[in-house]
């Protein structure tokens, strides 16, 4: 039974962090909606539902849900194929149902198998992406949309080449706003008396400073004035009736369309995997090291996507960028996420005109600092010191996340990690001292608890390297399972090469059932299947097996 959370216990810090996440989430919601070919308001709706609904239902303390860049390609393709946004919303509704089912099937438990170095590599990769993508915005160059995480941009440039084009599109006013915002944000963390004002986050002061600076530029007629294209662009409904026309509902008559179900299943799978990855990452970022019930999270995401579709919103996932901003801003509980959703809702209803004065340069500065904290040099040094088995999957995941996407990057990291685990298991199949042996030496080979066919090549190489006129002791005292291939290999070695090259072979700990010739009191008529099946299914204890087949 989960412990009941007092949402108001840390209201002071949670309100401040919720405000920061709101400032980060606002342009991302709009940018992702734009990239998806969906109405801009649909991104805001998904952000509101992600904050209020998923934030309340989730057991995660710091993760934040909303529209995700990883779904933009799926959404754009689906809207284009369906030719109607309301039909696409039916797919989002179906995706929510699938996620509910996954939650009840306890599919969230797969997150327990994500290695730490892969998760950290994913976080560092996203940090690098944030820095690369936000640097152009910080200098007033907006070739790609807010929230874009793809390496190759729509104009043919990539995340690196676009950095060289910054100087051709430099806006001095944006640069000044960026520098002032950077000074404010750093000072807010460093200056003691400012650091203690927890209720007012540095990000809010940076945003207010950016607005005031640009208003001064505009009022003075300076050419430093930042153009509207480099400001937040929020839809401004002038009446309740106009707001109602913005909200689109699913076309339930499309429920019989097979493509709706296929698209829904695709969204559900991708969104669920991204959510599980982000939840695992959020739990690692949490200073209090609290753990989230991932099955509950999938159910919360399912309900969130159902409700989002009913109000015309995009599908959502738990999002690393917003979760990182939430954590860095000092969030203590999920109340911060709920507050961010409430602020998104209030902002579009009450102050959209004011929000449209926020320079993107200020928001870019906030995100760049978040990206730095995700990909700080200390993380690289930490995994480098842990050795190649930790560092290689970490750096491979990072590079792949930056150059491809989150899912492909994590998949590559997982594959490399599995290869390293298999390689490690192969090496641990037996213990063999690799010193140079000379004639007459006694060589000890101790087999591990389980020796499978995967270990055949390594053991074969070891046996082939044993010099002539040696004495070899192969010990299987601690072994509960040996594959047929390994038994045949040992038997062939003893019967052929050992005899030809005067190598004395002694087998210790091998059961009678193995039917090896010099195993004491060998019994040739006992089948191997009885021992193998019992040991494999763990239906009988090792001691029982030893009593059945005494040495």
């Amino acid at each position: 039974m989960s412990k009941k959370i007092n949402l108001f216990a840390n209201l002071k810090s949670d309100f401040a962090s919720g405000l920061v996440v709101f400032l980060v989430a606002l342009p991302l919601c709009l940018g992702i909606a734009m990239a998806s070919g969906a109405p801009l308001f649909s991104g805001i709706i998904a952000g509101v539902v992600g904050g209020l609904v998923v934030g309340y239902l989730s057991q995660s303390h710091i993760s934040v849900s909303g529209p995700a860049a990883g779904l933009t390609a799926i959404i754009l393709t689906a809207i284009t194929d369906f030719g109607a946004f309301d039909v696409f919303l039916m797919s989002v509704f179906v995706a929510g149902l699938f996620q509910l089912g996954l939650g009840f099937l306890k599919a969230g438990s797969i997150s327990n198998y994500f290695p730490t170095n892969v998760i950290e590599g994913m976080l560092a990769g996203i940090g690098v992406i944030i820095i690369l993508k936000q640097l152009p915005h910080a200098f007033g160059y907006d070739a790609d949309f807010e929230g874009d995480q793809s390496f190759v941009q729509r104009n043919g440039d990539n995340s690196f080449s676009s950095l060289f084009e910054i100087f051709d599109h430099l806006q001095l006013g944006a640069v000044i706003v960026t520098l002032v915002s950077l000074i404010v944000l750093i000072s807010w963390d460093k200056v003691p008396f400012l650091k203690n004002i927890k209720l007012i986050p540095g990000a809010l002061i940076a945003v207010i400073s950016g607005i005031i600076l640009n208003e001064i530029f505009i009022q003075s007629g300076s050419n430093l004035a930042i153009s509207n294209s480099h400001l937040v662009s929020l839809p401004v409904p002038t009446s309740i009736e106009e707001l109602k026309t913005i909200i689109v509902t699913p076309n339930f008559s499309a429920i019989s369309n097979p493509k709706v179900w296929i698209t829904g299943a695709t969204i559900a799978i991708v969104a669920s995997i991204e959510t599980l990855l982000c939840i695992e990452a959020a739990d690692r970022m949490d200073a209090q090291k609290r753990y989230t019930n991932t099955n509950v999270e999938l159910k919360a995401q399912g309900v969130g996507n159902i409700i989002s579709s009913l109000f015309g919103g995009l599908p959502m996932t738990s999002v690393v960028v917003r979760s990182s901003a939430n954590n860095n801003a000092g969030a203590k509980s999920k109340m911060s996420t709920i507050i961010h959703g409430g602020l998104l809702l209030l902002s579009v209803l009450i102050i959209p005109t004011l929000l449209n004065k926020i320079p993107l340069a200020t928001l870019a500065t906030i995100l760049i600092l978040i990206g730095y904290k995700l990909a700080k040099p200390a993380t690289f040094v930490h995994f480098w010191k842990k050795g190649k088995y930790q560092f290689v999957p970490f750096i491979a995941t990072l590079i792949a996340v930056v150059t491809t996407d989150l899912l492909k990057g994590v998949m590559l990291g997982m594959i490399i990690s599995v290869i390293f685990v298999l390689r490690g298991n192969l090496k641990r199949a037996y213990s063999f001292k690799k010193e140079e042996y000379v004639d007459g030496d006694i060589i000890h080979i101790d087999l591990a608890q389980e020796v499978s066919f995967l270990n055949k090549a390594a053991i074969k190489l070891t046996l082939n390297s044993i010099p002539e006129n040696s004495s070899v002791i192969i010990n299987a005292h601690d072994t509960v399972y040996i594959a047929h291939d390994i038994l045949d290999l040992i038997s062939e070695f003893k019967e052929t090469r050992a005899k030809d090259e005067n190598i004395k072979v002694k087998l210790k700990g091998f059961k009678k059932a193995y039917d090896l010739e010099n195993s004491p009191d060998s019994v040739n008529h006992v089948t191997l299947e009885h021992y193998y099946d019992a040991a494999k299914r763990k239906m009988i204890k090792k001691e029982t097996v030893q009593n059945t087949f005494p040495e």
Side-chain angles (χ1 to χ4, degrees):
M1 181 179 282
S2 60
K3 184 180 178 182
K4 190 176 174 85
I5 300 172
N6 182 0
L7 294 176
F8 299 95
N10 303 284
L11 189 58
K12 188 176 179 180
S13 58
D14 284 341
F15 182 83
S17 55
L19 185 57
V20 172
V21 180
F22 155 68
L23 294 171
V24 169
L26 180 62
L28 295 182
C29 290
L30 296 170
I32 290 167
M34 184 184 299
S36 302
L40 291 180
F41 219 71
S42 63
I44 298 293
I45 292 169
V48 171
V49 175
L52 295 177
V53 178
V54 179
Y56 179 77
L57 295 176
S58 170
Q59 290 184 358
S60 176
H61 296 274
I62 64 170
S63 75
V64 183
S65 295
L71 295 175
T72 53
I74 298 172
I75 298 170
L76 180 62
T77 302
I79 293 175
T80 304
D81 288 346
F82 290 135
F85 186 61
D86 59 348
V87 177
F88 166 74
L89 291 176
M90 192 62 229
S91 291
V92 181
F93 184 89
V94 169
L97 295 176
F98 277 126
Q99 284 186 297
L100 271 176
L102 290 172
F104 283 110
L105 290 172
K106 301 188 183 302
S109 58
I110 65 169
S111 65
N112 296 323
Y113 300 97
F114 298 143
T116 298
N117 51 1
V118 172
I119 295 297
E120 292 288 349
M122 178 192 77
L123 287 173
I126 290 173
V128 172
I129 289 172
I130 291 172
I131 294 170
L132 291 175
K133 292 295 185 180
Q134 294 302 320
L135 276 174
H137 293 296
F139 287 91
Y141 179 43
D142 303 312
D144 57 344
F145 61 90
E146 280 287 353
D148 181 23
Q149 292 184 7
S150 58
F151 183 72
V152 179
Q153 298 172 188
R154 289 180 296 180
N155 61 359
D157 292 334
N158 59 53
S159 298
F160 292 113
S161 64
S162 63
L163 296 180
F164 296 99
E165 297 184 12
I166 289 175
F167 301 102
D168 296 329
H169 303 84
L170 198 68
Q171 286 190 19
L172 188 55
V175 174
I176 293 172
V177 168
T178 296
L179 291 174
V180 170
S181 300
L182 190 61
I183 292 169
V184 169
L185 290 168
I186 294 174
S187 300
W188 212 256
D189 286 336
K190 301 294 183 184
V191 179
F193 74 90
L194 292 177
K195 191 176 180 181
N196 293 328
I197 309 175
K198 297 293 185 183
L199 191 60
I200 306 175
L204 178 60
I205 304 301
V207 166
I208 293 172
S209 301
I211 293 173
I212 292 173
L213 265 176
N214 193 44
E215 286 299 310
I216 292 173
F217 295 154
I218 293 170
Q219 296 302 323
S220 64
S222 170
N223 58 4
L224 296 176
I226 299 173
S227 62
N228 289 336
S229 63
H230 193 64
L231 302 175
V232 169
S233 178
L234 189 66
V236 183
T238 56
S239 65
I240 298 296
E241 287 70 26
E242 187 179 342
L243 183 62
K244 288 180 180 177
T245 60
I246 293 175
I247 296 175
V248 183
T249 56
N251 183 352
F252 286 96
S253 64
I255 192 71
S256 59
N257 186 342
K259 288 185 178 179
V260 166
W261 288 88
I262 294 170
T263 303
T266 304
I267 292 172
I269 292 169
V270 175
S272 297
I273 293 173
E274 287 206 15
T275 291
L276 293 177
L277 288 167
C278 294
I279 288 294
E280 191 71 16
D283 284 351
R284 285 200 56 77
M285 288 187 285
D286 186 5
Q288 297 182 48
K289 299 303 176 188
R290 295 164 292 189
Y291 294 98
T292 302
N293 185 326
T294 48
N295 296 313
V296 172
E297 184 65 29
L298 287 180
K299 294 174 188 176
Q301 295 288 335
V303 173
N305 277 322
I306 289 171
I307 294 176
S308 180
S309 70
L310 293 175
F311 286 93
L314 294 177
M316 70 189 73
T317 72
S318 177
V319 188
V320 171
V321 176
R322 279 161 247 194
S323 302
S324 302
N326 197 30
N327 178 65
N328 292 332
K332 302 295 183 187
S333 76
K334 62 183 184 178
M335 187 63 179
S336 173
T337 303
I338 296 170
I339 288 171
H340 122 273
L343 290 173
L344 276 174
L345 178 60
L346 289 174
S347 67
V348 298
L349 296 177
I350 300 173
I351 54 169
T353 305
L354 178 60
L355 294 175
N356 286 342
K357 294 181 181 292
I358 300 175
L360 295 179
T362 297
L363 301 177
T365 308
I366 296 170
L367 287 166
I368 286 170
L369 288 181
I370 292 170
Y372 174 78
K373 289 178 180 178
L374 287 173
K376 55 188 175 185
T379 305
F380 292 78
V381 174
H382 170 75
F383 282 101
W384 176 262
K385 288 181 178 178
K386 279 182 170 286
K388 63 182 180 181
Y389 288 106
Q390 290 293 314
F391 183 76
V392 173
F394 165 79
I395 201 70
T397 302
L398 185 156
I399 294 171
V401 165
V402 172
T403 55
T404 57
D405 58 47
L406 186 147
L407 292 182
K408 291 176 183 174
V410 170
M411 190 180 298
L412 176 64
M414 292 285 288
I415 290 171
I416 294 174
S417 294
V418 169
I419 290 172
F420 280 178
V421 167
L422 288 175
R423 185 177 177 186
N425 286 339
L426 294 182
K427 289 185 174 182
R428 287 190 291 271
Y430 62 95
S431 173
F432 172 65
K433 294 182 180 180
K434 296 182 179 179
E435 298 94 334
E436 288 292 327
Y437 288 101
V438 296
D439 291 357
D441 282 353
I442 297 177
I443 302 169
H444 292 269
I445 299 176
D446 299 323
L447 300 182
Q449 192 173 27
E450 293 188 10
V451 187
S452 72
F453 71 94
L454 295 171
N455 310 120
K456 182 177 179 180
I459 293 176
K460 186 175 184 180
L461 185 64
T462 298
L463 294 176
N464 287 340
S465 66
I466 292 173
E468 297 180 4
N469 306 313
S470 300
S471 295
V472 180
I473 298 176
I474 303 177
N475 187 359
H477 267 299
D478 297 325
T479 308
V480 295
Y481 171 77
I482 306 177
H484 286 273
D485 290 4
I486 306 301
L487 293 172
D488 290 343
L489 181 66
I490 294 172
S491 179
E492 289 170 6
F493 170 75
K494 182 175 67 69
E495 294 299 326
T496 55
R497 182 166 175 260
K499 288 183 177 180
D500 294 341
E501 299 183 5
N502 193 30
I503 299 173
K504 297 178 181 178
V505 181
K506 182 177 181 181
L507 307 181
K508 294 177 63 177
F510 286 84
K511 311 298 177 288
K512 291 179 180 179
Y514 291 150
D515 199 21
L516 293 177
E517 186 178 316
N518 75 337
S519 183
D521 305 319
S522 175
V523 178
N524 296 324
H525 301 293
V526 181
T527 62
L528 290 170
E529 284 74 11
H530 176 72
Y531 171 72
Y532 283 139
D533 290 346
K536 208 170 185 181
R537 293 195 302 267
K538 298 182 180 178
M539 292 178 66
I540 59 176
K541 295 181 179 178
K542 179 182 175 184
E543 291 78 8
T544 307
V545 174
Q546 289 174 334
N547 292 334
T548 306
F549 307 117
E551 296 175 7

